[in-house]
Amino acid sequence: MEVAETAGTDPAVLLARAQRRIERALAEAYADFDLTAEQWRILSVLLDEPGQTMTRLADGAALPAGTLTRHVDRLTERGLVLRRIHAEDKRRAVVALSPVGASVAREIRARQQTDAVAGVVRDLRSALDRP
């Protein structure tokens, strides 16, 4: 058995391995839409909860604010997300998927229903359920 496949108990290591396995399993889907894993996380969060502030989106996508801004800029240029001024606070922006972005996000989400991704999720749940 390879070292990378041995059972570990450190949650940080387990999460990093799970993330790497999921990203490898979905690399083709990301590439088909010319997205990075970080950009996918942004689209995924917006698919689940449209119309988020940048601060909330950064937290949901687990990205630092500066990194989020660069990715949102790129996604906006590509027409995948829309960024608008917050209705109540003109200093803040609200981000949502465009119709094209929503279609891309739904397609990638559908591709996540693979055996490889399901196996990672199952393993991760099992590891997280251990006392």
Side-chain angles (χ1 to χ4, degrees):
M1 181 182 286
E2 292 181 24
V3 173
E5 297 300 320
T6 60
T9 58
D10 183 328
V13 173
L14 292 171
L15 287 171
R17 286 182 187 163
Q19 178 180 357
R20 195 171 54 228
R21 285 175 55 195
I22 289 171
E23 287 176 357
R24 275 196 306 254
L26 293 173
E28 187 177 321
Y30 299 156
D32 286 349
F33 294 101
D34 194 27
L35 294 172
T36 65
E38 292 85 4
Q39 290 169 337
W40 162 245
R41 291 198 319 251
I42 293 166
L43 297 181
S44 179
V45 168
L46 291 173
L47 183 63
D48 292 338
E49 290 188 52
Q52 296 206 23
T53 64
M54 293 288 282
T55 302
R56 195 160 167 223
L57 182 55
D59 185 52
L63 292 169
T67 301
L68 175 75
T69 299
R70 283 193 310 275
H71 285 304
V72 169
D73 287 348
R74 288 185 188 119
L75 293 168
T76 300
E77 289 169 6
R78 293 183 52 207
L80 298 174
V81 301
L82 306 169
R83 185 172 21 199
R84 303 280 187 245
I85 300 299
H86 192 281
E88 297 166 10
D89 184 349
K90 305 297 183 206
R91 297 168 296 167
R92 295 169 53 185
V94 176
V95 182
L97 293 174
S98 70
V100 172
S103 177
V104 167
R106 283 191 297 273
E107 173 64 24
I108 293 174
R109 182 75 52 85
R111 292 184 189 191
Q112 286 180 330
Q113 308 309 311
T114 67
D115 290 339
V117 173
V120 173
V121 171
R122 188 176 45 254
D123 293 348
L124 184 57
R125 280 191 182 132
S126 174
L128 292 173
D129 286 343
R130 282 187 223 140

